[in-house]
Amino acid sequence: MSKLNVLVAGSTGYIGIQLVYLLTKHKFINIKYLCGNSSVGKNIAVYDKRLKNKKLPKIIKFNYKFLKDVDIIFTALPNGEAQKISKKLLNNNVLIDLAADFRLRKSSDYLKWYKQKHQAPNKIKDSFYSLPELTGKKLRNYQIIGCPGCYPTSILLALTPLLKKKLVKENNIIIDSKSGYSGAGRGVHKKYKNKNLYESLSAYGVGFHRHNSEIEQFLNKFSNSKIICTFTPHLTPMFRGILSTIYVDLNKGRTINNIYNELVRFYKDSRFVKVQKIDSMLSTNNVINTNNCEISICKSKYKNKAIILSTIDNLIKGGAGQAIQNMNILKNFKEHEGLKWKNYWLLLL
């Protein structure tokens, strides 16, 4: 099988670097262009020592003329940039966006939550929000793929099967999520310079975090009434990983065992979602440097409630790995192609 030519725009951000590294492990991919702005002219190995001996192009500024040379465009850019590129796509191109440009189905919702006007509203209908374990092969009918955010990935994988089967109530879901600071991007050190980033825990986006819109939009597909959830994210003094703790009320006649059995059934053929035994205490360390999501159902002191733990690596399952997983499904590769590697730590200068 011939290789696909790929362009990565935003190649030096935390997720961009992770994406480039994983793509070098994919036997059906040729990285044709690496694009950036302040990094133009540099070798990407400056940002990641693991890439030192890889034969990769130097970083250049994005140009629309590159589109004629590539099959896949990955965009790990600030919100709004992929929208511009989407308007120039050629028939042979597929755009896989790791930002928020094509996560919401209404341009009005994008304006409400992201405080900027959508620059390609007519392209939203040509896009598909794809969380592989939940949306399957439907993405094959679309040219633009919107990858879920990292927090929503951990949350939706845990909640969707339960709402589909009406096992939990829809009107009082409480979600407490904690992320490594890489989730805030490479500018996190400037943004949180007064927060003692390496030794403290910080709540942010309380009540109105942008991911609320994405979570509720997806879950409302499986609800009889409007989903009511409270989501609060936190930055923790670790580089990567997410642990979401989700508090739910059980529907009448439902038990912890019903929830556990449904998750096991739903994910029995999944390579990347692992449902652990009831009351398993999860750690982000379980999933670091993997494309896995681990889920545990825990008992509450109240019989009609349950506590769900869900953990992922925000840079892989919540970012680069999921994007590659989507590409693999789209192009009919093995779903795990390029997602096998040794358990090492990300090396950054």
Side-chain angles (χ1 to χ4, degrees), residues 11-48:
S11 57
T12 61
Y14 288 140
I15 285 183
I17 288 172
Q18 184 68 73
L19 177 62
V20 172
Y21 182 75
L22 294 179
L23 288 172
T24 65
K25 298 293 186 180
H26 198 297
K27 63 183 178 182
F28 299 120
I29 293 301
N30 172 53
I31 299 176
K32 182 81 172 176
Y33 298 112
L34 295 176
C35 298
N37 286 314
S38 60
S39 55
V40 167
K42 294 181 180 178
N43 189 312
I44 198 165
V46 169
Y47 299 92
D48 186 347

Side-chain angles (χ1 to χ4, degrees), residues 110-330:
Y110 185 82
L111 176 61
K112 174 184 176 181
W113 289 95
Y114 289 88
K115 309 304 179 188
Q116 54 181 300
K117 187 176 180 180
H118 202 287
Q119 299 177 64
N122 62 321
K123 287 291 183 179
I124 294 176
K125 68 180 185 303
D126 299 322
S127 70
F128 184 72
Y129 179 86
S130 183
L131 204 170
E133 287 80 9
L134 302 179
T135 54
K137 298 178 181 179
K138 295 177 183 177
L139 80 168
R140 290 178 178 171
N141 297 320
Y142 296 85
Q143 188 180 23
I144 302 169
I145 308 302
C147 295
C150 50
Y151 286 123
T153 295
S154 68
I155 294 160
L156 296 177
L157 287 172
L159 281 177
T160 302
L162 309 183
L163 286 165
K164 275 187 170 183
K165 287 292 187 178
K166 316 300 180 189
L167 296 178
V168 298
K169 294 186 183 298
E170 304 160 341
N171 61 354
N172 188 33
I173 299 170
I174 299 172
I175 306 163
D176 180 297
S177 294
K178 296 177 174 64
S179 172
Y181 60 80
S182 60
R186 193 175 284 282
V188 65
H189 302 89
K190 291 181 180 179
K191 188 175 180 181
Y192 292 92
K193 63 181 178 181
N194 297 320
K195 293 286 188 180
N196 194 15
L197 190 63
Y198 303 109
E199 296 183 20
S200 67
L201 181 68
S202 301
Y204 68 105
V206 177
F208 298 94
H209 191 277
R210 293 166 171 179
H211 284 169
N212 275 281
S213 57
E214 185 182 338
I215 294 164
E216 292 180 358
Q217 174 184 264
F218 194 85
L219 292 180
N220 276 328
K221 295 179 181 179
F222 313 104
S223 172
N224 292 327
S225 57
K226 188 176 180 180
I227 292 289
I228 299 176
C229 67
T230 302
F231 165 62
T232 305
H234 305 75
L235 284 185
T236 65
M238 61 183 185
F239 179 66
R240 62 199 295 163
I242 284 177
L243 178 63
S244 290
T245 305
I246 307 168
Y247 303 88
V248 294
D249 296 327
L250 304 183
N251 275 327
K252 188 175 181 180
R254 303 299 189 176
T255 66
I256 293 288
N257 284 333
N258 293 148
I259 292 179
Y260 170 76
N261 290 335
E262 176 55 24
L263 286 171
V264 170
R265 184 201 67 78
F266 192 90
Y267 290 118
K268 63 182 174 62
D269 296 322
S270 172
R271 179 178 292 270
F272 296 118
V273 179
K274 316 293 183 184
V275 181
Q276 304 298 347
K277 293 180 180 179
I278 292 174
D279 286 335
S280 293
M281 297 295 103
L282 300 188
S283 164
T284 56
N285 195 57
N286 298 12
V287 295
I288 292 299
N289 290 312
T290 79
N291 196 53
N292 293 343
C293 172
E294 289 196 1
I295 301 172
S296 172
I297 306 301
C298 300
K299 298 170 186 172
S300 165
K301 62 183 178 181
Y302 304 106
K303 288 185 177 181
N304 63 335
K305 295 180 181 290
I307 302 166
I308 307 170
L309 306 177
S310 179
T311 186
I312 63 170
D313 184 320
N314 59 298
L315 296 180
I316 301 183
K317 185 57 178 170
Q322 183 155 249
I324 291 174
Q325 193 180 351
N326 276 326
M327 178 190 67
N328 287 340
I329 296 171
L330 182 73

Side-chain angles (χ1 to χ4, degrees), residues 38-67:
S38 60
S39 55
V40 167
K42 294 181 180 178
N43 189 312
I44 198 165
V46 169
Y47 299 92
D48 186 347
K49 293 178 181 179
R50 296 172 303 169
L51 298 171
K52 185 176 181 180
N53 296 318
K54 306 291 184 182
K55 292 182 179 180
L56 292 169
K58 285 193 173 181
I59 301 165
I60 57 177
K61 193 171 182 63
F62 176 82
N63 192 306
Y64 287 108
K65 69 180 182 182
F66 299 156
L67 298 183

